Amino acid sequence: MKVHEYQAKEILRRYGVATPQGHVTDSPEEARQITKDLGGKSVVKAQIHAGGRGKGGGVKLAKTPDEAFEHAQKIIGMQLVTHQTGPEGRKVKKVLVEAAADIAQELYLGITLDRAIGKPVLMASKFGGMEIEEVAHKDPTAILKEPFDAIAGLQPFQARKVAYALGLTGETHKKAVPFLLALAKAYVETDCSLAEINPLMITGQGDVVALDAKMNFDDNALFRHLDIKEYRDLDEEDPLEVEASKFNLNYIKLDGNVGCMVNGAGLAMSTMDIIQYAGGSPANFLDVGGGANEEQVRNAMRIILSDPNVKGVLINIFGGIMRCDIIASGVVKAVKEIGCTIPVVVRLEGTNVEEGKQILRDSGLAVIPADGMKDAAEKIIAAVAKGGN
Ligand code: GDP
Ligand code: MN
């Protein structure tokens, strides 16, 4: 789960991470008042779940309270397009109004899980304020990586090492060490999958402050962070994925035109691979799960078909725990209910496969049967190319 910058900063402050002073608002009038209270100057920042807001026109400096009003009026309600939002952009509902910073230096900090070594890793770079992917591409040695133990936490000697590597000395170094320790503690204790400070600002006075903050959380751990779960903003998520999550379906929307209904994550991934291999492109990942009932299958089918890009559906089921007849009845009900006019290819194997095939035959629907995955992928791609049933 992702949260907004202002929410990430709220969480980080609880752990002692320094952030600029400020408040979030959905009113330009209030943006003016907040700026007055901050001493007359501020930065007005669009709150969306995507980076690159600065370049996209979502971060504006205000030299007076009236300017803050004008910026807020322009930003709130705008469809903000950044390199992370896709061409359609995201609608801005709120802005964070913060005290304008006196930036001497912009650095980069990030913590994420290194799955290869099974540990969180603190990443730091002198090149802050820009896209870290670009830095990594141009000069991988410009990013320092310091893995640490999740149970013991980031150790003070590690924080000192990273602070030196960032070129921080004297009082600034002394402030950077507790900052790094607090960030690492926040990452571990809130079950983050990513905590990123870009830029980490060194002020003219040598203070160390999180100018931006991004935190993503492990969905499987949210049950123990109900306060963080409250921060979920459904408007920032894909509507079809939100709908799928209501039925406990593992659905992820993709850009292709072949909808996929599969049981098991591994089979779902190989189905996407084989669609690509056959020259097509999957519209989604969907694992209906091992113990799905007819109702879930019906909803899964409805969700797949409500994606306007979908021009054909491949149903690939291996009945182990899941029974083929349940899948078949769910599909038939959904298709009858929605009135599907695009081709549907079905590959069924395993438990109750004959019953499943019989249900499909008896339904009178024009489903195309397939033998094996390769055959199924080739048939759906040919059918999509031809168009219609
Ligand atoms: P992002 O573009 O979505 O990553 O948003 P950021 O919060 O990182 O802001 C983008 C850039 O705006 C930063 O790298 C800074 O250079 C600049 N910026 C943000 N806040 C301030 C501020 O208070 N003062 C000044 N001068 N620049 C700021
Ligand atoms: Mn940033």
Short mmCIF file of all heavy atoms in Angstrom, two decimals, residues 53 198-199 212, ligand 2:
data_model
loop_
_atom_site.label_atom_id
_atom_site.label_comp_id
_atom_site.label_asym_id
_atom_site.label_seq_id
_atom_site.Cartn_x
_atom_site.Cartn_y
_atom_site.Cartn_z
N ARG A 53 6.62 15.05 -9.24
CA ARG A 53 5.64 16.13 -9.18
C ARG A 53 6.27 17.47 -9.49
O ARG A 53 5.65 18.34 -10.11
CB ARG A 53 5.00 16.16 -7.78
CG ARG A 53 4.18 14.93 -7.46
CD ARG A 53 3.92 14.86 -5.98
NE ARG A 53 5.18 14.83 -5.24
CZ ARG A 53 5.31 15.07 -3.95
NH1 ARG A 53 4.24 15.36 -3.24
NH2 ARG A 53 6.48 15.02 -3.37
N ASN A 198 13.83 11.68 -0.88
CA ASN A 198 14.50 12.23 -2.06
C ASN A 198 13.84 13.53 -2.48
O ASN A 198 12.80 13.51 -3.10
CB ASN A 198 14.47 11.22 -3.21
CG ASN A 198 15.30 11.70 -4.39
OD1 ASN A 198 16.23 12.49 -4.22
ND2 ASN A 198 14.96 11.24 -5.57
N PRO A 199 14.41 14.66 -2.11
CA PRO A 199 15.74 14.81 -1.52
C PRO A 199 15.73 14.83 0.01
O PRO A 199 14.77 15.26 0.63
CB PRO A 199 16.17 16.18 -2.03
CG PRO A 199 14.90 16.95 -2.16
CD PRO A 199 13.85 15.95 -2.54
N ASP A 212 11.29 15.50 1.04
CA ASP A 212 10.24 14.69 0.43
C ASP A 212 10.25 13.35 1.17
O ASP A 212 11.26 12.99 1.78
CB ASP A 212 10.55 14.49 -1.06
CG ASP A 212 9.38 13.85 -1.82
OD1 ASP A 212 8.29 13.73 -1.23
OD2 ASP A 212 9.57 13.48 -2.99
MN MN B 2 11.13 13.78 -4.49
#
